[in-house]
Amino acid sequence: AQSVAQPEDQVNVAEGNPLTVKCTYSVSGNPYLFWYVQYPNRGLQFLLKYITGDNLVKGSYGFEAEFNKSQTSFHLKKPSALVSDSALYFCAVIYNFNKFYFGSGTKLNVKP
Amino acid sequence: NAGVTQTPKFQVLKTGQSMTLQCAQDMNHNSMYWYRQDPGMGLRLIYYSASEGTTDKGEVPNGYNVSRLNKREFSLRLESAAPSQTSVYFCASSVDRARQETQYFGPGTRLLVL
């Protein structure tokens, strides 16, 4: 089955430390991968996407993600976390032409 | 430029009642989508409309109907609401149905079915 998985329900990190939010995928063919962020009581906001080209993708708010085809992963990273980064993060993969599959989400808690 | 708007923001229904969730976008996007968000399950696609005049089922279409009224508007109807439909509903749009297109989301509608 085509899918995307976020193995961690929650990630806790101290402000100023690097953060990683994990995502793995399982789709046939070449995946199109996205990261979205959701703040409380808000809709999802686009962070970054991988379509083709460089495996390291840079996005909004200092976030970046690394596409690893051999490990079928697309982990979200940031060198130095901010308290304001605390939110719910979703990985998504486009499959079957126009259908998005979203991961279950990872809650990021950045503590001062 | 309001982006994607949804009405209402919150609704309480009794089992068996019907209602329509409204969505509109002002970005001249061709494709529109309806998702539901449930705890621990991420977003699941209910229906989508690749272009004006077309609609297709997503992952969880049972109990729902949709109408692509025009290019701007895409409504979701619950004919006979059930407690299992308690959820947060998000509408989204994208420029076109090319696979790499980013989706833009509305603020959501919180629905409680008693």
Side-chain angles (χ1 to χ4, degrees):
Chain A
Q2 318 293 333
S3 69
V4 58
Q6 295 179 241
E8 302 158 317
D9 291 335
Q10 184 167 304
V11 170
N12 299 310
V13 64
E15 187 174 31
N17 284 359
L19 69 87
T20 299
V21 183
K22 296 180 180 177
C23 172
T24 59
Y25 64 90
S26 173
V27 297
S28 56
N30 295 319
Y32 295 84
L33 298 157
F34 293 73
W35 275 102
Y36 286 83
V37 59
Q38 185 181 30
Y39 298 100
N41 300 313
R42 302 284 295 276
L44 278 69
Q45 297 177 31
F46 169 76
L47 274 180
L48 52 81
K49 64 183 178 183
Y50 173 81
I51 304 301
T52 187
D54 290 340
N55 290 339
L56 186 64
V57 179
K58 294 187 181 297
S60 307
Y61 312 120
F63 283 94
E64 59 189 27
E66 185 171 11
F67 172 64
N68 188 318
K69 190 172 184 177
S70 63
Q71 297 186 1
T72 63
S73 66
F74 189 56
H75 300 332
L76 181 70
K77 300 181 179 182
K78 187 173 182 180
S80 178
L82 299 173
V83 172
S84 58
D85 292 331
S86 297
L88 190 58
Y89 290 81
F90 289 95
C91 182
V93 61
I94 300 181
Y95 165 68
N96 196 22
F97 191 42
N98 204 24
K99 298 181 181 180
F100 278 59
Y101 283 86
F102 284 81
S104 55
T106 298
K107 184 177 182 182
L108 174 65
N109 294 315
V110 182
K111 298 182 179 181
Chain B
N1 192 342
V4 180
T5 58
Q6 293 182 237
T7 56
K9 291 184 178 179
F10 182 72
Q11 183 72 47
V12 179
L13 291 178
K14 295 181 179 179
T15 297
Q17 286 185 317
S18 62
M19 79 162 294
T20 300
L21 282 64
Q22 306 287 352
C23 173
Q25 52 89 12
D26 62 2
M27 297 176 284
N28 201 35
H29 286 174
N30 287 307
S31 299
M32 298 185 73
Y33 314 81
W34 275 106
Y35 293 90
R36 60 178 289 173
Q37 183 181 27
D38 301 295
M41 301 189 73
L43 275 74
R44 292 182 292 170
L45 183 66
I46 305 171
Y47 271 93
Y48 71 98
S49 171
S51 61
E52 186 179 357
T54 68
T55 60
D56 285 284
K57 295 179 180 180
E59 187 181 357
V60 288
N62 292 342
Y64 305 94
N65 286 302
V66 291
S67 296
R68 183 74 182 267
L69 304 171
N70 46 55
K71 190 172 185 178
R72 290 186 64 249
E73 299 172 289
F74 188 40
S75 63
L76 178 72
R77 182 160 179 84
L78 287 70
E79 291 291 350
S80 179
S84 61
Q85 294 178 305
T86 293
S87 188
V88 182
Y89 291 85
F90 288 99
C91 178
S93 69
S94 64
V95 172
D96 213 331
R97 60 183 190 175
R99 287 183 292 174
Q100 65 268 33
E101 289 296 339
T102 300
Q103 292 189 2
Y104 296 85
F105 286 80
T109 293
R110 284 158 177 75
L111 176 65
L112 175 62
V113 183
L114 301 174

Short mmCIF file of all heavy atoms in Angstrom, two decimals, chain B residues 64-108:
data_model
loop_
_atom_site.label_atom_id
_atom_site.label_comp_id
_atom_site.label_asym_id
_atom_site.label_seq_id
_atom_site.Cartn_x
_atom_site.Cartn_y
_atom_site.Cartn_z
N TYR B 64 -20.68 11.31 2.38
CA TYR B 64 -20.47 12.69 1.92
C TYR B 64 -20.84 12.83 0.44
O TYR B 64 -20.73 11.87 -0.32
CB TYR B 64 -19.01 13.12 2.10
CG TYR B 64 -18.46 12.98 3.48
CD1 TYR B 64 -17.77 11.83 3.86
CD2 TYR B 64 -18.62 13.99 4.43
CE1 TYR B 64 -17.25 11.69 5.13
CE2 TYR B 64 -18.09 13.86 5.70
CZ TYR B 64 -17.41 12.71 6.05
OH TYR B 64 -16.91 12.58 7.31
N ASN B 65 -21.22 14.03 0.07
CA ASN B 65 -21.35 14.41 -1.33
C ASN B 65 -20.71 15.77 -1.53
O ASN B 65 -20.61 16.55 -0.58
CB ASN B 65 -22.83 14.46 -1.74
CG ASN B 65 -23.42 13.08 -1.89
OD1 ASN B 65 -22.94 12.27 -2.67
ND2 ASN B 65 -24.45 12.80 -1.11
N VAL B 66 -20.31 16.04 -2.75
CA VAL B 66 -19.68 17.32 -3.04
C VAL B 66 -20.28 17.94 -4.28
O VAL B 66 -20.89 17.26 -5.11
CB VAL B 66 -18.15 17.19 -3.25
CG1 VAL B 66 -17.44 16.83 -1.94
CG2 VAL B 66 -17.84 16.18 -4.33
N SER B 67 -20.10 19.25 -4.36
CA SER B 67 -20.52 20.00 -5.55
C SER B 67 -19.45 21.02 -5.88
O SER B 67 -19.08 21.83 -5.00
CB SER B 67 -21.85 20.70 -5.31
OG SER B 67 -22.89 19.78 -5.10
N ARG B 68 -18.97 20.99 -7.11
CA ARG B 68 -18.07 22.05 -7.57
C ARG B 68 -18.96 23.06 -8.28
O ARG B 68 -19.29 22.93 -9.45
CB ARG B 68 -17.01 21.49 -8.51
CG ARG B 68 -15.99 22.53 -8.95
CD ARG B 68 -15.03 22.87 -7.85
NE ARG B 68 -14.09 23.90 -8.22
CZ ARG B 68 -12.87 23.67 -8.74
NH1 ARG B 68 -12.48 22.42 -8.96
NH2 ARG B 68 -12.09 24.68 -9.03
N LEU B 69 -19.37 24.06 -7.54
CA LEU B 69 -20.39 25.00 -7.99
C LEU B 69 -19.87 25.86 -9.15
O LEU B 69 -20.60 26.19 -10.07
CB LEU B 69 -20.81 25.88 -6.82
CG LEU B 69 -21.32 25.09 -5.60
CD1 LEU B 69 -21.52 26.02 -4.41
CD2 LEU B 69 -22.60 24.35 -5.93
N ASN B 70 -18.64 26.23 -9.06
CA ASN B 70 -17.97 27.01 -10.10
C ASN B 70 -16.47 26.88 -9.81
O ASN B 70 -16.07 26.09 -8.95
CB ASN B 70 -18.43 28.47 -10.08
CG ASN B 70 -18.44 29.05 -8.69
OD1 ASN B 70 -17.41 29.01 -8.00
ND2 ASN B 70 -19.58 29.56 -8.24
N LYS B 71 -15.66 27.65 -10.47
CA LYS B 71 -14.23 27.50 -10.27
C LYS B 71 -13.82 27.86 -8.85
O LYS B 71 -12.89 27.30 -8.28
CB LYS B 71 -13.44 28.36 -11.27
CG LYS B 71 -11.96 28.07 -11.29
CD LYS B 71 -11.28 28.79 -12.43
CE LYS B 71 -9.82 28.39 -12.51
NZ LYS B 71 -9.12 29.05 -13.64
N ARG B 72 -14.52 28.78 -8.22
CA ARG B 72 -14.14 29.28 -6.90
C ARG B 72 -14.64 28.40 -5.76
O ARG B 72 -14.01 28.36 -4.71
CB ARG B 72 -14.71 30.68 -6.70
CG ARG B 72 -14.09 31.79 -7.53
CD ARG B 72 -14.67 33.13 -7.09
NE ARG B 72 -14.32 33.45 -5.72
CZ ARG B 72 -15.18 33.49 -4.71
NH1 ARG B 72 -16.45 33.21 -4.90
NH2 ARG B 72 -14.77 33.82 -3.49
N GLU B 73 -15.79 27.75 -5.93
CA GLU B 73 -16.48 27.17 -4.79
C GLU B 73 -16.60 25.65 -4.89
O GLU B 73 -16.94 25.09 -5.94
CB GLU B 73 -17.87 27.79 -4.67
CG GLU B 73 -17.85 29.28 -4.44
CD GLU B 73 -19.24 29.89 -4.52
OE1 GLU B 73 -19.79 29.95 -5.63
OE2 GLU B 73 -19.75 30.29 -3.46
N PHE B 74 -16.39 25.01 -3.74
CA PHE B 74 -16.45 23.54 -3.65
C PHE B 74 -17.09 23.20 -2.31
O PHE B 74 -16.49 23.42 -1.26
CB PHE B 74 -15.03 22.99 -3.75
CG PHE B 74 -14.93 21.50 -3.88
CD1 PHE B 74 -15.81 20.77 -4.66
CD2 PHE B 74 -13.90 20.81 -3.23
CE1 PHE B 74 -15.69 19.41 -4.79
CE2 PHE B 74 -13.77 19.43 -3.37
CZ PHE B 74 -14.67 18.73 -4.15
N SER B 75 -18.30 22.70 -2.33
CA SER B 75 -19.03 22.43 -1.09
C SER B 75 -19.05 20.95 -0.76
O SER B 75 -19.00 20.09 -1.65
CB SER B 75 -20.46 22.98 -1.19
OG SER B 75 -21.17 22.30 -2.21
N LEU B 76 -19.14 20.68 0.53
CA LEU B 76 -19.21 19.31 1.05
C LEU B 76 -20.51 19.15 1.81
O LEU B 76 -20.80 19.93 2.71
CB LEU B 76 -18.03 19.04 1.98
CG LEU B 76 -17.97 17.66 2.64
CD1 LEU B 76 -17.60 16.60 1.62
CD2 LEU B 76 -16.95 17.66 3.79
N ARG B 77 -21.30 18.13 1.48
CA ARG B 77 -22.60 17.94 2.11
C ARG B 77 -22.65 16.63 2.88
O ARG B 77 -22.22 15.58 2.36
CB ARG B 77 -23.71 17.98 1.09
CG ARG B 77 -25.11 17.84 1.72
CD ARG B 77 -26.21 18.35 0.84
NE ARG B 77 -27.51 18.17 1.47
CZ ARG B 77 -28.05 19.03 2.33
NH1 ARG B 77 -27.37 20.13 2.70
NH2 ARG B 77 -29.25 18.80 2.83
N LEU B 78 -23.16 16.73 4.10
CA LEU B 78 -23.47 15.56 4.91
C LEU B 78 -24.98 15.41 4.88
O LEU B 78 -25.71 16.26 5.39
CB LEU B 78 -22.99 15.73 6.35
CG LEU B 78 -21.49 15.65 6.62
CD1 LEU B 78 -20.74 16.85 6.07
CD2 LEU B 78 -21.25 15.50 8.11
N GLU B 79 -25.48 14.37 4.26
CA GLU B 79 -26.93 14.20 4.10
C GLU B 79 -27.59 13.75 5.40
O GLU B 79 -28.69 14.18 5.73
CB GLU B 79 -27.22 13.18 3.00
CG GLU B 79 -26.87 13.67 1.61
CD GLU B 79 -27.78 14.79 1.11
OE1 GLU B 79 -28.81 15.07 1.77
OE2 GLU B 79 -27.46 15.40 0.07
N SER B 80 -26.93 12.89 6.13
CA SER B 80 -27.47 12.37 7.39
C SER B 80 -26.30 12.16 8.34
O SER B 80 -25.64 11.12 8.32
CB SER B 80 -28.22 11.06 7.15
OG SER B 80 -28.73 10.55 8.37
N ALA B 81 -26.04 13.18 9.13
CA ALA B 81 -24.82 13.17 9.94
C ALA B 81 -24.81 12.04 10.96
O ALA B 81 -25.84 11.68 11.55
CB ALA B 81 -24.66 14.51 10.65
N ALA B 82 -23.62 11.50 11.19
CA ALA B 82 -23.41 10.44 12.17
C ALA B 82 -22.29 10.86 13.13
O ALA B 82 -21.41 11.65 12.73
CB ALA B 82 -23.03 9.14 11.47
N PRO B 83 -22.30 10.35 14.36
CA PRO B 83 -21.23 10.72 15.31
C PRO B 83 -19.83 10.45 14.76
O PRO B 83 -18.89 11.16 15.11
CB PRO B 83 -21.55 9.85 16.53
CG PRO B 83 -23.03 9.67 16.47
CD PRO B 83 -23.36 9.55 15.00
N SER B 84 -19.69 9.45 13.89
CA SER B 84 -18.39 9.14 13.31
C SER B 84 -17.87 10.24 12.40
O SER B 84 -16.69 10.24 12.01
CB SER B 84 -18.44 7.82 12.54
OG SER B 84 -19.38 7.92 11.47
N GLN B 85 -18.74 11.16 12.05
CA GLN B 85 -18.34 12.27 11.20
C GLN B 85 -17.89 13.50 12.01
O GLN B 85 -17.57 14.54 11.43
CB GLN B 85 -19.46 12.64 10.23
CG GLN B 85 -19.75 11.54 9.22
CD GLN B 85 -20.89 11.86 8.29
OE1 GLN B 85 -22.00 12.17 8.72
NE2 GLN B 85 -20.63 11.78 6.99
N THR B 86 -17.87 13.35 13.31
CA THR B 86 -17.28 14.39 14.15
C THR B 86 -15.80 14.49 13.80
O THR B 86 -15.06 13.51 13.89
CB THR B 86 -17.45 14.03 15.64
OG1 THR B 86 -18.83 14.09 15.98
CG2 THR B 86 -16.66 15.00 16.51
N SER B 87 -15.39 15.67 13.40
CA SER B 87 -14.03 15.83 12.90
C SER B 87 -13.77 17.31 12.62
O SER B 87 -14.64 18.15 12.79
CB SER B 87 -13.85 15.02 11.61
OG SER B 87 -12.49 15.00 11.20
N VAL B 88 -12.56 17.59 12.19
CA VAL B 88 -12.24 18.90 11.65
C VAL B 88 -12.08 18.75 10.14
O VAL B 88 -11.34 17.88 9.69
CB VAL B 88 -10.95 19.48 12.26
CG1 VAL B 88 -10.68 20.87 11.70
CG2 VAL B 88 -11.05 19.53 13.78
N TYR B 89 -12.80 19.57 9.41
CA TYR B 89 -12.81 19.46 7.96
C TYR B 89 -12.02 20.62 7.35
O TYR B 89 -12.23 21.79 7.68
CB TYR B 89 -14.25 19.47 7.44
CG TYR B 89 -15.00 18.23 7.81
CD1 TYR B 89 -15.62 18.12 9.06
CD2 TYR B 89 -15.05 17.14 6.96
CE1 TYR B 89 -16.29 16.96 9.43
CE2 TYR B 89 -15.72 15.97 7.32
CZ TYR B 89 -16.33 15.90 8.55
OH TYR B 89 -16.99 14.75 8.92
N PHE B 90 -11.12 20.25 6.44
CA PHE B 90 -10.31 21.25 5.77
C PHE B 90 -10.55 21.20 4.27
O PHE B 90 -10.59 20.13 3.66
CB PHE B 90 -8.82 21.01 6.03
CG PHE B 90 -8.38 21.36 7.42
CD1 PHE B 90 -8.23 20.36 8.37
CD2 PHE B 90 -8.15 22.67 7.79
CE1 PHE B 90 -7.83 20.67 9.67
CE2 PHE B 90 -7.75 22.99 9.07
CZ PHE B 90 -7.60 22.00 10.02
N CYS B 91 -10.68 22.39 3.71
CA CYS B 91 -10.73 22.54 2.27
C CYS B 91 -9.36 23.03 1.82
O CYS B 91 -8.68 23.76 2.54
CB CYS B 91 -11.81 23.56 1.92
SG CYS B 91 -11.96 23.91 0.15
N ALA B 92 -8.96 22.62 0.63
CA ALA B 92 -7.67 23.05 0.09
C ALA B 92 -7.81 23.27 -1.42
O ALA B 92 -8.75 22.76 -2.05
CB ALA B 92 -6.58 22.04 0.38
N SER B 93 -6.88 24.01 -1.97
CA SER B 93 -6.87 24.20 -3.41
C SER B 93 -5.44 24.20 -3.92
O SER B 93 -4.49 24.44 -3.16
CB SER B 93 -7.57 25.51 -3.80
OG SER B 93 -6.81 26.64 -3.38
N SER B 94 -5.28 23.91 -5.20
CA SER B 94 -3.97 23.97 -5.84
C SER B 94 -4.15 24.48 -7.27
O SER B 94 -5.24 24.39 -7.84
CB SER B 94 -3.27 22.61 -5.83
OG SER B 94 -3.99 21.66 -6.57
N VAL B 95 -3.06 24.99 -7.81
CA VAL B 95 -3.13 25.62 -9.12
C VAL B 95 -3.72 24.67 -10.15
O VAL B 95 -4.63 25.02 -10.90
CB VAL B 95 -1.73 26.09 -9.57
CG1 VAL B 95 -1.76 26.57 -11.01
CG2 VAL B 95 -1.21 27.19 -8.66
N ASP B 96 -3.19 23.49 -10.17
CA ASP B 96 -3.63 22.53 -11.17
C ASP B 96 -3.41 21.13 -10.64
O ASP B 96 -2.98 20.94 -9.51
CB ASP B 96 -2.87 22.76 -12.48
CG ASP B 96 -3.71 22.46 -13.70
OD1 ASP B 96 -4.61 21.59 -13.60
OD2 ASP B 96 -3.49 23.09 -14.73
N ARG B 97 -3.72 20.17 -11.43
CA ARG B 97 -3.67 18.80 -10.93
C ARG B 97 -2.31 18.14 -11.20
O ARG B 97 -2.18 16.95 -10.99
CB ARG B 97 -4.78 17.98 -11.53
CG ARG B 97 -4.74 17.89 -13.04
CD ARG B 97 -5.95 17.10 -13.52
NE ARG B 97 -5.88 16.78 -14.94
CZ ARG B 97 -6.77 16.03 -15.55
NH1 ARG B 97 -7.79 15.54 -14.90
NH2 ARG B 97 -6.64 15.77 -16.83
N ALA B 98 -1.34 18.92 -11.60
CA ALA B 98 0.00 18.36 -11.72
C ALA B 98 0.47 17.88 -10.35
O ALA B 98 0.16 18.47 -9.33
CB ALA B 98 0.95 19.42 -12.26
N ARG B 99 1.23 16.85 -10.33
CA ARG B 99 1.50 16.17 -9.08
C ARG B 99 2.36 16.98 -8.11
O ARG B 99 2.35 16.75 -6.92
CB ARG B 99 2.16 14.83 -9.34
CG ARG B 99 1.21 13.79 -9.90
CD ARG B 99 1.89 12.47 -10.08
NE ARG B 99 2.88 12.53 -11.14
CZ ARG B 99 3.70 11.54 -11.43
NH1 ARG B 99 3.67 10.44 -10.68
NH2 ARG B 99 4.56 11.64 -12.40
N GLN B 100 3.10 17.94 -8.64
CA GLN B 100 3.99 18.65 -7.73
C GLN B 100 3.37 19.91 -7.16
O GLN B 100 4.04 20.67 -6.49
CB GLN B 100 5.29 19.02 -8.44
CG GLN B 100 5.12 20.01 -9.59
CD GLN B 100 4.93 19.30 -10.91
OE1 GLN B 100 4.33 18.23 -10.96
NE2 GLN B 100 5.42 19.89 -11.98
N GLU B 101 2.10 20.13 -7.40
CA GLU B 101 1.52 21.39 -6.97
C GLU B 101 1.26 21.43 -5.47
O GLU B 101 0.71 20.51 -4.88
CB GLU B 101 0.21 21.65 -7.71
CG GLU B 101 0.39 22.00 -9.18
CD GLU B 101 1.15 23.31 -9.37
OE1 GLU B 101 1.18 24.12 -8.43
OE2 GLU B 101 1.70 23.51 -10.44
N THR B 102 1.65 22.54 -4.88
CA THR B 102 1.41 22.78 -3.47
C THR B 102 -0.07 23.05 -3.23
O THR B 102 -0.72 23.71 -4.03
CB THR B 102 2.22 24.00 -3.01
OG1 THR B 102 3.60 23.73 -3.23
CG2 THR B 102 1.98 24.30 -1.54
N GLN B 103 -0.59 22.53 -2.13
CA GLN B 103 -1.97 22.81 -1.75
C GLN B 103 -2.01 23.91 -0.70
O GLN B 103 -1.14 24.00 0.16
CB GLN B 103 -2.63 21.54 -1.19
CG GLN B 103 -2.83 20.48 -2.26
CD GLN B 103 -3.66 19.32 -1.79
OE1 GLN B 103 -4.14 19.28 -0.66
NE2 GLN B 103 -3.84 18.35 -2.65
N TYR B 104 -3.04 24.73 -0.79
CA TYR B 104 -3.26 25.81 0.16
C TYR B 104 -4.54 25.51 0.92
O TYR B 104 -5.58 25.21 0.31
CB TYR B 104 -3.37 27.15 -0.58
CG TYR B 104 -2.08 27.52 -1.27
CD1 TYR B 104 -1.80 27.04 -2.54
CD2 TYR B 104 -1.14 28.33 -0.64
CE1 TYR B 104 -0.61 27.36 -3.18
CE2 TYR B 104 0.05 28.66 -1.27
CZ TYR B 104 0.31 28.17 -2.53
OH TYR B 104 1.49 28.47 -3.15
N PHE B 105 -4.45 25.60 2.23
CA PHE B 105 -5.54 25.14 3.09
C PHE B 105 -6.33 26.29 3.69
O PHE B 105 -5.79 27.36 3.99
CB PHE B 105 -4.98 24.28 4.23
CG PHE B 105 -4.56 22.92 3.79
CD1 PHE B 105 -3.33 22.72 3.17
CD2 PHE B 105 -5.39 21.82 3.98
CE1 PHE B 105 -2.93 21.46 2.76
CE2 PHE B 105 -5.00 20.56 3.56
CZ PHE B 105 -3.78 20.38 2.95
N GLY B 106 -7.63 26.03 3.89
CA GLY B 106 -8.46 26.92 4.65
C GLY B 106 -8.27 26.71 6.14
O GLY B 106 -7.55 25.81 6.56
N PRO B 107 -8.95 27.52 6.97
CA PRO B 107 -8.77 27.46 8.43
C PRO B 107 -9.48 26.30 9.09
O PRO B 107 -9.23 26.02 10.26
CB PRO B 107 -9.34 28.79 8.91
CG PRO B 107 -10.35 29.14 7.88
CD PRO B 107 -9.83 28.63 6.57
N GLY B 108 -10.37 25.63 8.38
CA GLY B 108 -11.03 24.46 8.94
C GLY B 108 -12.43 24.74 9.48
O GLY B 108 -12.77 25.86 9.86
#
